[in-house]
Amino acid sequence: MIQSPRTLARLAALAFCLLAAPALAEPARVKVETGRLAGEAKDGVGVWRNIPYAAPPTGALRWAPPARAAGWTGERDATKAGPSCLQKMNADGTPNSGGANGPMSEDCLQLNVFAPAKARKAPVMVWIHGGSHREGAGWIYDGSAFARQGIVVVTINYRLGPLGYFAHPALTAAARKDEPLANYGLMDQVAALQWVKRNIEAFGGDPRQVTVFGESAGGMSTLALLATPSTKGLYARAIVQSGGGWFPPTTLAAKAQGGEEALAALGHAKASAAELRALPAESLIKGVGGSFGPFPDGRLLKETPSQAFAAGRAADVPLIIGWNSGEDSLMGPWRPEMIGAVPAEARTVYAAEAARSDEALARAVFSDRAMGAPARWIARQAASGTPAWLYHFSYVGTRFRPFTDRAAHAAEIQYVFQYWGRRTPMSAVSEEDRAMAVLMNGCWAAFAKTGRPDCPAGQAWPAYSKAQDTLLEFGRDTGLRTGFQSGRLDFQEERTLSGLALP
């Protein structure tokens, strides 16, 4: 249990009063490897936006590993957000399901930095946004609350959809021997981490104390980074929020065949690599469907993250991993045919849910299979080395309680960042909500600083072990849970692990 909820609420109220106090932004200047940046400083936090970390991935660099960014003369204005990477946007200008709207471009490999004033050797957190590897942007997220706790935060863009994860026989044939293929979004994330290693000291950050963290597609990407041997030394810790953990095996050849079929359907059968790179990017975003995300190309990523963790080959760094109580929000509106994906024997394991309705059963099975069981399994594999910590997020914001009793996919992000974003008016945020944000932001900040989530107000959170099977539930009754939903999660493990081609 949280020992001092009143203390947390007072701290939250004080923090938000300080946030609301008017203050004028001042210029904040810094020099990186490519030139000088002019950002802005406000309330003790320096912010620099739209910083190129790689060359524009256009022309010959479309579907190619990212190249170094070019330099500039004079000062670059770093006060305004850059474009999102190309993706499908809502026609009415509202944020899409990845939270992005506004300008977008194929030239999008930029990042944003939030740093404490006069920082020196501060820990660093690099955020990888979610959005099914097809939507979202780094500029959406505000790292100021972390910066006020003495942490430098970096949020990044990376190539999305068919521009980020795409294979084709012509691209394979044109690539140099051993040149990474297909995982261009993952390559961008590696390039961003390399940029951080080379440049973050200019902002007062310590390149030896980097925590990489992400949610959903960003969590999956974080797991992929942990399984990518060439990322060794680019981070010291990792946090995976609703990133699953089970990756079905596939091959570059199978992905290339799918890419060839997709372009043939658009009228570009047997196109050369040069012809592919000359196609209008917008037509690719609109016309090439399917699932996107990291997979083994045999060069950059040699095995799935599931295989790497099972074999003990994933990076052995301190890890936080967890999931939300309402991950079934990813299923969208209920349709009766969805029950067809539920195995018959699940009705015994999920007896309480089955007694409520077919919908309750299907949603519980989906949440456990997609997020809960994989997160616990990853924690178990990681716990054999450097400690790992497992969590479950079930807190429902005050304004949502009339409509739901579960925390939707991505609901934890605003509490982790202690930032309510563009879609939540402060009048809708209660003191209880603010207290949860103080707690989660504090746990994550402590982990970034020390490699241990020593939470505010003395909230205990022991490292995970298979024998104890204890996690921390962030909810209206926050506390430790032992054997949490173990029968359900065991059921999902038994049914799924055999299909992952594990060693």
Side-chain angles (χ1 to χ4, degrees):
M1 293 291 295
I2 300 176
Q3 296 179 7
S4 304
R6 290 184 180 178
T7 299
L8 282 175
R10 292 193 189 102
L11 288 172
L14 174 60
F16 280 88
C17 285
L18 290 174
L19 279 173
L24 297 176
E26 299 178 354
R29 292 180 169 85
V30 70
K31 187 178 185 303
V32 296
E33 62 187 4
T34 43
R36 296 186 179 278
L37 297 166
E40 58 185 2
K42 185 177 180 180
D43 297 326
V45 177
V47 183
W48 297 264
R49 304 182 188 276
N50 195 22
I51 308 170
Y53 68 83
T58 57
L61 290 180
R62 178 191 290 177
W63 294 318
R68 287 281 191 104
W72 57 82
T73 57
E75 280 190 339
R76 178 184 173 95
D77 180 10
T79 61
K80 299 178 180 64
S84 303
C85 289
L86 286 178
Q87 57 196 277
K88 292 181 180 179
M89 293 287 192
N90 292 338
D92 62 2
T94 58
N96 61 21
S97 59
N101 61 353
M104 58 179 177
S105 173
E106 193 172 2
D107 177 7
C108 63
L109 300 186
Q110 294 95 28
L111 52 77
N112 315 284
V113 179
F114 302 78
K118 300 179 181 179
R120 185 172 180 272
K121 293 187 177 180
V124 180
M125 300 181 77
V126 179
W127 173 253
I128 304 176
H129 70 78
S132 301
H133 306 283
R134 66 177 76 221
E135 294 177 340
W139 64 264
I140 298 167
Y141 303 90
D142 190 312
S144 296
F146 281 119
R148 281 187 285 273
Q149 294 210 54
I151 297 168
V152 176
V153 174
V154 180
T155 69
I156 70 171
N157 286 350
Y158 56 95
R159 282 174 279 184
L160 301 169
L163 294 173
Y165 295 93
F166 182 77
H168 190 282
L171 297 176
T172 302
R176 298 187 304 274
K177 182 180 180 181
D178 298 326
E179 178 181 296
L181 291 164
N183 290 297
Y184 304 106
L186 182 64
M187 295 179 211
D188 295 341
Q189 294 160 14
V190 175
L193 288 169
Q194 292 170 336
W195 185 96
V196 167
K197 188 175 184 67
R198 298 192 305 268
N199 292 277
I200 206 64
E201 285 182 294
F203 302 89
D206 184 350
R208 295 167 293 279
Q209 297 295 323
V210 173
T211 297
V212 60
F213 71 133
E215 184 271 342
S216 192
M220 293 177 66
S221 297
T222 299
L223 290 170
L225 289 167
L226 293 174
T228 302
S230 61
T231 65
K232 183 178 181 180
L234 296 180
Y235 50 82
R237 313 181 237 288
I239 302 173
V240 177
Q241 301 169 207
S242 298
W246 289 338
F247 291 69
T250 188
T251 64
L252 178 63
K255 288 287 188 178
Q257 180 180 347
E260 185 175 32
E261 292 171 354
L263 289 190
L266 295 179
H268 303 292
K270 305 301 180 183
S272 68
E275 289 168 337
L276 294 177
R277 290 180 170 124
L279 293 174
E282 292 78 4
S283 68
L284 296 167
I285 294 295
K286 293 178 181 178
V288 179
S291 63
F292 302 102
F295 70 92
D297 67 321
R299 302 181 184 190
L300 177 70
L301 189 60
K302 299 181 183 299
E303 58 188 339
T304 69
S306 308
Q307 292 167 338
F309 272 97
R313 288 189 288 264
D316 187 18
V317 298
L319 173 69
I320 290 175
I321 189 168
W323 79 105
N324 296 359
S325 59
E327 300 286 3
D328 59 276
S329 62
L330 290 169
M331 294 174 66
W334 169 252
R335 301 187 305 277
E337 60 266 28
M338 289 178 175
I339 195 64
V342 177
E345 56 268 36
R347 291 187 176 275
T348 300
V349 179
Y350 293 82
E353 291 75 16
R356 288 172 56 194
S357 66
D358 281 354
E359 179 177 356
L361 170 63
R363 289 188 178 280
V365 169
F366 175 91
S367 290
D368 290 349
R369 182 174 58 210
M371 299 294 178
R376 189 190 67 166
W377 182 80
I378 289 288
R380 285 183 173 181
Q381 309 312 307
S384 61
T386 303
W389 288 265
L390 183 64
Y391 77 87
H392 181 66
F393 181 82
S394 63
Y395 182 81
V396 177
T398 305
R399 63 198 181 282
F400 298 119
R401 291 172 193 169
F403 315 107
T404 183
D405 59 357
R406 300 191 309 283
H409 183 70
E412 86 291 352
I413 296 175
Q414 59 188 347
Y415 300 95
V416 166
F417 276 84
Q418 200 176 334
Y419 169 70
W420 305 100
R422 300 165 295 148
R423 292 190 274 194
T424 304
M426 289 307 302
S427 60
V429 180
S430 69
E431 285 196 12
E432 188 181 358
D433 297 339
R434 295 176 182 183
M436 179 55 69
V438 168
L439 175 63
M440 291 197 78
N441 183 258
C443 296
W444 266 233
F447 181 76
K449 293 175 181 179
T450 68
R452 298 187 59 83
D454 296 321
C455 299
Q459 172 60 60
W461 190 358
Y464 184 83
S465 73
K466 183 176 181 179
Q468 296 296 322
D469 190 22
T470 298
L471 57 72
L472 175 60
E473 181 177 7
F474 292 97
R476 294 193 70 182
D477 182 26
T478 295
L480 302 179
R481 312 283 184 255
T482 298
F484 182 78
Q485 297 179 349
S486 59
R488 289 166 42 168
L489 304 185
D490 289 345
F491 172 78
Q492 297 297 342
E493 275 196 25
E494 291 168 4
R495 289 190 58 84
T496 308
L497 293 183
S498 61
L500 300 182
L502 301 181

